[in-house]
Amino acid sequence: MNATKAYVLTYLATLVAFLLLDTLWLTQMAAGLFKAELGDLLRPAPLLSAAILFYLIYALATQILAIHPALAARSGMAAAGYGALLGLASYGAFDLTNLAILKAWTPTLAALDMTWGAAVSALSAVAGYLAASYLRERR
């Protein structure tokens, strides 16, 4: 298998893991909290084009900033750590900015969402790392 194909498959593994986990989180766990805290500020349905663009960009960032360094270190723990840091920083930028400028955004929302961002990013990075490691062994 060539490097480009392995790169694309690793990206897809990361993207699918992130999408599955985040969909579960958003539909089963966080939906009630966001509705209770934000009420009428929420859209009746998510703007899918914006969501899709986020997921595509974020999976690429995870691959470059978390999975590649972990592959160089040959460490799944590094993938988890780099992924968690990426998630904390990315979700922190969103949540702390919202907390700073939006009256409806609460410290509870910020803390929970940042925690989730770190967790989902770590798990997705590990999924991508495992896929890349498997593909590397097959070459």
Side-chain angles (χ1 to χ4, degrees):
M1 174 176 310
N2 68 37
T4 301
K5 187 173 182 180
Y7 190 89
V8 169
L9 290 174
T10 300
Y11 173 80
L12 291 174
T14 305
L15 178 63
V16 167
F18 193 87
L19 276 168
L20 290 174
L21 292 167
D22 209 39
T23 298
L24 181 64
W25 167 256
L26 290 171
T27 60
Q28 303 301 311
M29 310 287 274
L33 175 64
F34 283 115
K35 183 138 178 99
E37 296 284 336
L38 300 174
D40 291 338
L41 293 176
L42 290 175
R43 292 177 179 274
L47 183 60
L48 288 181
S49 59
I52 290 167
L53 186 58
F54 165 73
Y55 287 120
L56 293 173
I57 293 168
Y58 200 78
L60 181 62
T62 302
Q63 187 163 1
I64 293 168
L65 300 174
I67 297 167
H68 283 297
L71 287 169
R74 294 189 177 271
S75 171
M77 290 299 293
Y82 290 133
L85 180 59
L86 174 63
L88 182 64
S90 300
Y91 280 64
F94 172 78
D95 288 303
L96 296 174
T97 298
N98 284 345
L99 189 59
I101 64 173
L102 299 174
K103 289 190 267 184
W105 205 261
T106 65
T108 299
L109 281 176
L112 286 173
D113 199 48
M114 288 171 64
T115 301
W116 174 247
V120 72
S121 300
L123 291 169
S124 299
V126 169
Y129 173 83
L130 291 173
S133 296
Y134 173 76
L135 294 169
R136 178 188 282 175
E137 289 179 17
R138 291 191 60 208
R139 279 195 260 168

